[in-house]
Amino acid sequence: MPHSDPAMDDTAIRLGVDALIAAYADCIDEDRLEEWPDFFTEQCRYVIISRTDYAAGLRHGIIYAASQGMLTDRVMALRKANIFEPHHYRHIVGPTRITRADAGVAEVQSNFLAVRIMHDGGTQLFATGRYLDRIDIASRPYRFIERIVVLDSHKIDTLLVIPL
Amino acid sequence: MPHSDPAMDDTAIRLGVDALIAAYADCIDEDRLEEWPDFFTEQCRYVIISRTDYAAGLRHGIIYAASQGMLTDRVMALRKANIFEPHHYRHIVGPTRITRADAGVAEVQSNFLAVRIMHDGGTQLFATGRYLDRIDIASRPYRFIERIVVLDSHKIDTLLVIPL
Amino acid sequence: MPHSDPAMDDTAIRLGVDALIAAYADCIDEDRLEEWPDFFTEQCRYVIISRTDYAAGLRHGIIYAASQGMLTDRVMALRKANIFEPHHYRHIVGPTRITRADAGVAEVQSNFLAVRIMHDGGTQLFATGRYLDRIDIASRPYRFIERIVVLDSHKIDTLLVIPL
C-alpha cells in the first residue's frame, strides 16, 4: 500500500519527533540561532537543495554542512557579517510522516512553508518545500543526523541567509 | 460545549487519520498521481466546491467523482492532455479535528493551504480551504469514503487541473 | 537542552491541547464568532500584540480583553457595526509545543498563518505569528486562561477586525 506507515503505532516516537521539528522551527523564527547547531548530532548532514537538483541526484545543494562545527561557523559568520537587511522567518510545518523507525533512527518527512518578515513589516511567502530527515531516536533529546531541505522553487539562493 | 471532541481519546485512530492525510498531500505534491485513487474506497465521493456553493447546499462542485475509477480516469486524462504549463503544489495541512468516530467511520476536518510552484520557479498562494472527510477506519490502510474540498475563494476554477 | 519537552509524554494532554487549538481556529474561520468567548475561562487574557512591542515588554497590544464578557462585547460590536468589507480568514496552525504542564495549567506555543479571503474571492497572506497560550487543563473542555497572539509584522492594525 502506498500510504501504509509502519512506524506510526509508536506514539512516543511520534510525539518526540513532532516536538523536535516544532522546536527547531521555533529556534530559527525566534532568532536563537546559536542554539541551532545543537539540534544536530556531532557528525551530521544539513543540506538546502532545490527540488530539481535533488531529483537530478545532486547532494550538496545551495548550502551544505557536514558537522555541528560547520553549522556553528555558519551562525557566527551570519552574526558577524550582518550586512543584510534585518528580517526573520515564520515557519509553518505540516504533519510529519514517519516512513521508517528502527535501529535507533527515524526517517521522517514533512512539508513546510516559510514566510519572510522584513524589518519594515513587509511580509511575503518566502519558501516552500519538504524536510527529509534522519533523526537519532536512540538517545534524548532527539537530534537530526540528516536534514535535507528540498526547496520547491529554484528562485531563492541569493536571498537565503538564515537557515531554513 | 462547542469544542468538545468525543473521539479524541482514541490515539490510534488519530495517528492513523493524521498519517492518511499527510500521505495524501505528499502523493499529490510529489506528482505520484497514479497512486492518488488508492487513497479512496472503491465507491467514494471526491468533490471540490467553493465555500459559497457548499453553504448554498450544492454538492457537485467544480470537480466531482463518485468512484475510484472516475479518479483514475481523471489522472489518465491529466497525464495525456498535458497541455497546461508544468507546475506542482505544496500542501500545508493544519491540525485535524475528529468530530465523530464510530461504526468504522471517522468524520474529520482540517484546514489546508496549497502553494503553486510554476516550472520557472514562480511561487504563489494558490488555494486555501477545508477538507471535510469521511474515512473508513474499519480496515487498514485507512481510506477516504468521502473527501469534500471546500475552497475559501470562488476565483480558482480555470486554473484547477491537479487534484487538491 | 534547548529543545527538551518535559510535558510531551502526556499524550492525553497533547491531544486535548491540539483539539482545542484546532477547534478555536475553526470557530473563527467558519464565522461562528458567538462561540468564540467560550474558548476562554471566565477571567482570561486575550491580547494581540506585535513582536517588537511584545519584546519591548508591552502587554496590552492592539487588542486586549480581560474576561469572557469583554470578548462577548467585542463580537457583538463587530456584528452590529458591520461597516467593513466582508471577509473571512483561514488559519493554518503549525505543530504545538507544550513547554510546561503542571498544576492544571499547560503552557503552549504554536505558529500560525492567517490568510484573508475577501468577498470577491481575492486572497492574501494576512498575518503570521505565534500563539503563546496558558490553558486550563484541570477540567474539560480545555479553555484558554491566556492567549497572546504575537504578530510578526507591525503593519496590520487597521485591518484587524475579526479575532485571530
Side-chain angles (χ1 to χ4, degrees):
Chain A
M1 285 302 126
H3 49 289
S4 66
D5 187 339
M8 142 204 127
D9 293 329
D10 197 328
T11 305
I13 292 176
R14 175 161 289 274
L15 294 183
V17 163
D18 283 350
L20 173 67
I21 288 174
Y24 176 99
D26 195 59
C27 165
I28 293 174
D29 293 351
E30 296 306 308
D31 194 30
R32 299 191 313 272
L33 296 180
E34 283 70 15
E35 297 175 11
W36 174 61
D38 192 39
F39 285 93
F40 294 84
T41 54
E42 184 60 42
Q43 298 302 310
C44 61
R45 205 155 152 267
Y46 175 75
V47 179
I48 303 183
I49 190 166
S50 75
R51 177 188 177 99
T52 42
D53 284 356
Y54 184 75
L58 303 182
R59 288 297 176 264
H60 286 77
I62 303 160
I63 290 178
Y64 177 86
S67 67
Q68 258 195 7
M70 286 178 72
L71 298 172
T72 302
D73 285 356
R74 187 167 177 87
V75 172
M76 288 181 66
L78 186 158
R79 292 296 194 203
K80 274 186 195 154
N82 204 23
I83 51 171
F84 56 88
E85 193 187 348
H87 63 273
H88 75 276
Y89 298 153
R90 181 62 53 197
H91 283 75
I92 307 290
V93 183
T96 51
R97 296 183 66 208
I98 300 179
T99 54
R100 190 173 167 175
D102 52 31
V105 177
E107 296 184 5
V108 180
Q109 303 179 2
S110 52
N111 285 359
F112 74 91
L113 173 159
V115 171
R116 191 175 56 161
I117 302 99
M118 305 309 290
H119 196 252
D120 69 359
T123 297
Q124 64 180 122
L125 180 55
F126 177 62
T128 61
R130 286 207 294 172
Y131 289 123
L132 305 181
D133 300 324
R134 295 182 65 241
I135 296 173
D136 176 7
I137 58 171
S139 51
R140 293 278 178 163
Y142 286 180
R143 284 192 170 86
F144 294 105
I145 300 165
E146 181 174 271
R147 168 151 268 207
I148 304 179
V149 186
V150 183
L151 297 178
D152 285 321
S153 173
H154 53 83
K155 269 190 171 176
I156 198 166
D157 40 343
T158 59
L159 304 164
L160 193 58
V161 185
I162 301 171
L164 279 169
Chain B
M1 284 302 127
H3 50 290
S4 65
D5 187 339
M8 144 203 124
D9 292 329
D10 197 329
T11 306
I13 292 175
R14 174 161 289 273
L15 294 183
V17 163
D18 283 350
L20 173 67
I21 288 175
Y24 175 99
D26 195 58
C27 165
I28 293 174
D29 293 351
E30 297 305 309
D31 194 30
R32 300 191 312 273
L33 296 180
E34 283 70 16
E35 296 175 12
W36 174 61
D38 193 39
F39 284 93
F40 293 84
T41 54
E42 184 59 42
Q43 298 302 311
C44 61
R45 204 153 154 269
Y46 175 75
V47 179
I48 302 183
I49 190 167
S50 74
R51 177 188 177 97
T52 42
D53 284 356
Y54 184 75
L58 304 183
R59 287 298 175 263
H60 285 78
I62 303 160
I63 291 179
Y64 177 86
S67 68
Q68 257 195 6
M70 286 177 73
L71 298 172
T72 302
D73 286 355
R74 186 166 179 87
V75 171
M76 288 182 66
L78 187 158
R79 292 294 193 204
K80 274 187 195 154
N82 205 22
I83 51 169
F84 56 89
E85 193 187 349
H87 64 272
H88 75 276
Y89 298 153
R90 180 63 53 198
H91 283 75
I92 308 289
V93 182
T96 50
R97 296 182 67 208
I98 300 179
T99 52
R100 191 173 167 172
D102 52 31
V105 176
E107 296 184 5
V108 180
Q109 303 180 2
S110 53
N111 285 358
F112 73 91
L113 174 159
V115 170
R116 191 175 57 160
I117 302 99
M118 304 309 290
H119 197 249
D120 68 0
T123 298
Q124 63 180 122
L125 180 55
F126 177 61
T128 60
R130 286 207 294 171
Y131 288 123
L132 305 181
D133 300 324
R134 295 183 64 239
I135 297 173
D136 175 6
I137 58 172
S139 52
R140 292 277 178 165
Y142 286 180
R143 284 190 170 87
F144 294 105
I145 300 166
E146 179 172 271
R147 168 152 267 206
I148 303 179
V149 186
V150 183
L151 297 178
D152 285 322
S153 173
H154 53 84
K155 269 191 172 174
I156 198 165
D157 40 341
T158 59
L159 305 162
L160 193 59
V161 185
I162 302 170
L164 280 170
Chain C
M1 285 303 126
H3 48 289
S4 65
D5 186 340
M8 144 202 125
D9 292 330
D10 197 328
T11 305
I13 292 175
R14 174 161 291 273
L15 294 183
V17 162
D18 284 350
L20 173 66
I21 288 175
Y24 176 100
D26 195 59
C27 164
I28 293 175
D29 293 352
E30 296 306 309
D31 194 30
R32 301 191 311 273
L33 296 180
E34 283 70 17
E35 296 175 12
W36 175 61
D38 193 38
F39 284 92
F40 293 84
T41 53
E42 184 60 42
Q43 297 301 311
C44 61
R45 206 154 152 269
Y46 175 75
V47 179
I48 302 183
I49 190 166
S50 75
R51 177 187 176 98
T52 42
D53 283 356
Y54 184 76
L58 303 183
R59 288 295 176 264
H60 286 77
I62 302 160
I63 290 178
Y64 178 86
S67 67
Q68 259 195 8
M70 285 177 73
L71 298 172
T72 301
D73 285 356
R74 188 168 176 86
V75 171
M76 288 182 65
L78 187 158
R79 293 294 193 205
K80 273 188 197 155
N82 204 23
I83 50 170
F84 56 89
E85 194 187 346
H87 62 273
H88 75 276
Y89 298 153
R90 180 63 51 198
H91 284 75
I92 308 289
V93 182
T96 50
R97 297 182 66 208
I98 300 179
T99 53
R100 190 173 167 173
D102 52 31
V105 176
E107 295 184 6
V108 180
Q109 303 179 3
S110 52
N111 285 358
F112 74 89
L113 174 159
V115 170
R116 190 175 57 161
I117 302 99
M118 304 308 290
H119 197 250
D120 68 0
T123 297
Q124 63 180 122
L125 180 55
F126 177 62
T128 61
R130 287 207 293 171
Y131 288 124
L132 305 181
D133 300 325
R134 296 181 65 240
I135 297 172
D136 175 6
I137 58 172
S139 52
R140 291 278 177 163
Y142 286 0
R143 285 191 169 87
F144 294 105
I145 300 166
E146 180 174 270
R147 168 152 266 206
I148 303 179
V149 187
V150 182
L151 297 178
D152 285 321
S153 173
H154 53 83
K155 268 191 173 173
I156 198 165
D157 39 344
T158 58
L159 305 163
L160 193 58
V161 185
I162 301 170
L164 280 170

